[in-house]
Amino acid sequence: RLRRDIAAWYYRRGDYPAAEDALGPAPPRRRKADLLAWQDAEAQILLAQGRMSDALAVLRAAEPQADYAGYVRYFNLGIAEVASGNVLQGLTVLDRVGDIASSDAALNALRDRANLVAGAHFLRQGQGATAIPLLEKVRDRGADSNTALLDLGWAWLAPAGVAQNRSMLGDERTVGVPPESQRLPGWQWDQNQYQRFKLDPFERARLERGEDERLRHALSIWGELASRPAPDDTVMEANLAIAVKLDQAGALKSADDYYGRAIAALEQSLSDLSQAEGYLVGAGAQADLYAAQAGQGFDRDLHNLPPMPTAYYLRPQLADWPFVARLADYRDALMLNAQLGGLIQSLQALREARCGTEDAAAGNPACADLPPLLDTIGALQPRLAAAIPDLLQQLQQPLLQSLAERRRWQTRLLGDTRLALARLHDRPAHDAPP
C-alpha cells in the first residue's frame, strides 16, 4: 500500500516510469483487494504511457466487480481495446458500461462518458444510425451533455451506415437465470455481472428517408444546445452549425440570424479573453489563485477558482500537475521570504537585547555567532526576493499562452464567420425553412 501511494505521487506528477518502478510487483492473488488496487494503478500508468497491449493484459486479468472501481476498470478496458485495434470488443465493453442502472452520481457520469465515447466513435466512422441511440443515452444536464447534443445533431445528418454487431468477449451467459438473481443463502454466486448482457447487434435509430426531416431533427437538437448559457465552445459551434445548414438550405433570413448570434458570441468571447488576461496579471489572480492562505505553511491547495468565464478557459491548465508544481514553488518562495524577513528582525532584536554592550557580548559566547548568521541570512533574502518575480512569471506564462492560442483560433473563426455572412448577403433574400 505504501508502494501504491508513492507510485500515485509520481503518477500525478507525470513521471510514469518512476511510478511503475515504485509500484513494484503485484501482490499475491489471495489478497484480492490489494491485487485489484494494484491492477488499477498499473493499468493507469500503462495507459498514460500509451502501452495499450500491456494495459490490456492487466485489465483482462482483473476480476470483475459490481462497484464504481470495477466499472471504471471495465471502462478503461474498453478504451484500451479500441486503442489497440480491437474496436468492436472495446465498443461492446463501453456499451455495457453505458447501460449501468444506478442512482449514484459518479456512476451516472461514467455511464455518460462511455456512451459519449462510443457514440462519437460510430459517428466518426459514418455510422450515424448506430451513434444516435448511444448519444441519446447521455443525460441532458450532465457534464457531457453539451458535447453529446452537438454530436447527436451531426449524427442525424451522417450516413446511416450498416448494422454493427456486438462482439463476444468470453464472459457472456446466454441461457439460464442471470447471476444476480442467485443471491440466496447456499447459492454460489458468480461475481461476473456482465454475463447477463445480450449479443444482439447495436441498436440503430430509424433515420427518416427525407433529408429535410433529418435536418429538422439536427436543427432542433442544436437549437436546444444554442439556447444554453455560455461560455461553452459547443454552444458557439451549435450556432455556427445551424447557420451553415440554414444557409445551405436557402433559409437565408434565419441563417443571417444565427450567423449574427455566432459573431456576437465570438466577439464576447474575445472580450472575455482580454479580461481573463488582465485578471491573470492583476490583483484578482493574486487573491484567488496565487497567494497561500494565512497560516497554511507549505500550502498546495487551490482554494478559490477564477470568476467565469476565466475559470472555463483555464480549467485544463488549473487541473494539471505542472500548474500545481509551479504554484507550490511560488507560494514556498513567498513564505520563506516572509519568514527570513521576520527572522532577521528577531535576531537583530536579540543582539540588541543580549549583546548590546561589550560586557554583555563578552559574557555571552552566542554573540559571536549572531553577526555572521545575520550576514548569511541578509545575503540570502535578496536572492530569494529577486527570484519571486521570475517564479510568478513562470506561473503566469503557460496560462497566458493558453489564452493566446484560444484568441488566435477564435479570431480566425470570427473572420470566417463574417465572410460567410457577407456572402449570404450577396444572395437573393428569401426564407423557406426546410
Side-chain angles (χ1 to χ4, degrees):
R1 293 176 186 177
L2 178 59
R3 291 203 310 270
R4 288 203 309 270
D5 290 342
I6 297 173
W9 189 90
Y10 282 116
Y11 176 84
R12 288 193 296 269
R13 286 149 181 80
D15 191 348
Y16 305 125
E20 187 174 8
D21 183 65
L23 188 60
R29 298 194 67 83
R30 66 178 181 274
R31 288 162 46 194
K32 291 185 178 181
D34 286 336
L35 178 60
L36 282 172
W38 181 92
Q39 289 168 327
D40 289 342
E42 177 74 0
Q44 289 175 347
I45 294 169
L46 295 171
L47 288 170
Q49 298 178 85
R51 295 164 56 186
M52 296 300 169
S53 59
D54 294 335
L56 276 178
V58 174
L59 292 167
R60 288 172 177 171
E63 179 181 340
Q65 297 288 317
D67 57 10
Y68 177 72
Y71 278 113
V72 170
R73 194 178 307 120
Y74 208 51
F75 176 89
N76 287 338
L77 173 63
I79 296 296
E81 293 278 13
V82 173
S84 299
N86 307 318
V87 177
L88 285 179
Q89 291 94 324
L91 293 172
T92 300
V93 170
L94 292 174
D95 180 56
R96 293 178 176 184
V97 178
D99 275 338
I100 299 171
S102 173
S103 59
D104 180 76
L107 280 173
N108 286 337
L110 182 65
R111 179 183 63 197
D112 287 347
R113 182 55 56 91
N115 285 316
L116 177 64
V117 171
H121 178 89
F122 282 123
L123 175 59
R124 289 193 300 270
Q125 299 302 313
Q127 302 290 337
T130 306
I132 289 172
L134 292 165
L135 294 170
E136 286 180 337
K137 292 179 184 178
V138 179
R139 291 171 301 163
D140 62 356
R141 292 298 172 183
D144 291 316
S145 62
N146 284 11
T147 304
L149 286 174
L150 185 65
D151 285 352
L152 184 59
W154 288 116
W156 276 100
L157 300 177
V162 298
Q164 301 293 303
N165 292 320
R166 292 184 175 92
S167 177
M168 178 79 73
L169 300 174
D171 58 3
E172 296 82 9
R173 177 181 294 174
T174 58
V175 296
V177 294
E180 63 271 20
S181 67
Q182 302 176 12
R183 301 183 189 181
L184 298 175
W187 283 84
Q188 187 69 30
W189 181 45
D190 188 338
Q191 290 285 333
N192 191 341
Q193 76 274 20
Y194 308 115
Q195 290 180 348
R196 67 182 181 274
F197 287 91
K198 300 179 291 185
L199 289 179
D200 297 335
F202 283 94
E203 182 183 354
R204 302 180 77 236
R206 297 184 60 182
L207 297 181
E208 288 79 359
R209 295 182 180 180
E211 292 185 3
D212 288 351
E213 190 62 30
R214 294 173 64 178
L215 180 57
R216 287 183 186 275
H217 276 286
L219 293 176
S220 175
I221 293 166
W222 288 334
E224 177 184 346
L225 176 56
S227 67
R228 295 190 172 186
D232 195 305
D233 292 341
T234 58
V235 173
M236 179 179 60
E237 291 181 43
N239 279 300
L240 283 172
I242 293 172
V244 170
K245 290 302 176 182
L246 289 173
D247 189 351
Q248 293 173 350
L252 303 189
K253 184 178 179 181
S254 296
D256 185 295
D257 178 51
Y258 278 97
Y259 276 131
R261 294 186 190 184
I263 290 172
L266 285 166
E267 291 174 340
Q268 180 62 51
S269 181
L270 290 171
S271 175
D272 292 339
L273 286 172
S274 297
Q275 293 183 15
E277 291 164 346
Y279 167 85
L280 287 178
V281 299
Q286 278 289 351
D288 292 337
L289 292 181
Y290 305 148
Q293 286 193 342
Q296 287 294 319
F298 290 95
D299 187 5
R300 299 294 187 267
D301 296 329
L302 189 63
H303 301 286
N304 299 294
L305 288 175
M308 291 294 284
T310 304
Y312 172 78
Y313 296 145
L314 298 178
R315 68 195 189 285
Q317 287 75 29
L318 298 183
D320 279 351
W321 166 248
F323 170 80
V324 176
R326 289 188 291 266
L327 178 65
D329 290 343
Y330 176 69
R331 286 178 173 176
D332 291 351
L334 289 177
M335 181 192 68
L336 292 173
N337 186 56
Q339 289 185 345
L340 286 179
L343 182 59
I344 290 174
Q345 293 178 359
S346 298
L347 291 175
Q348 288 174 340
L350 180 64
R351 184 174 63 175
E352 292 293 329
R354 299 187 179 182
C355 310
T357 65
E358 292 185 5
D359 292 341
N364 189 346
C367 292
D369 297 330
L370 284 175
L373 179 58
L374 280 167
D375 291 342
T376 300
I377 297 175
L380 176 61
Q381 188 187 24
R383 294 172 55 192
L384 185 58
I388 289 176
D390 292 337
L391 292 172
L392 178 60
Q393 185 177 15
Q394 294 173 21
L395 180 61
Q396 293 171 336
Q397 195 58 40
L399 303 179
L400 292 171
Q401 181 64 31
S402 68
L403 295 181
E405 292 173 359
R406 173 177 284 270
R407 176 182 294 280
R408 286 192 292 270
W409 165 61
Q410 292 191 346
T411 299
R412 290 195 300 269
L413 187 58
L414 178 59
D416 292 341
T417 306
R418 285 173 172 166
L419 179 60
L421 180 59
R423 289 174 175 171
L424 180 143
H425 288 166
D426 290 338
R427 297 167 58 186
H430 68 282
D431 196 322

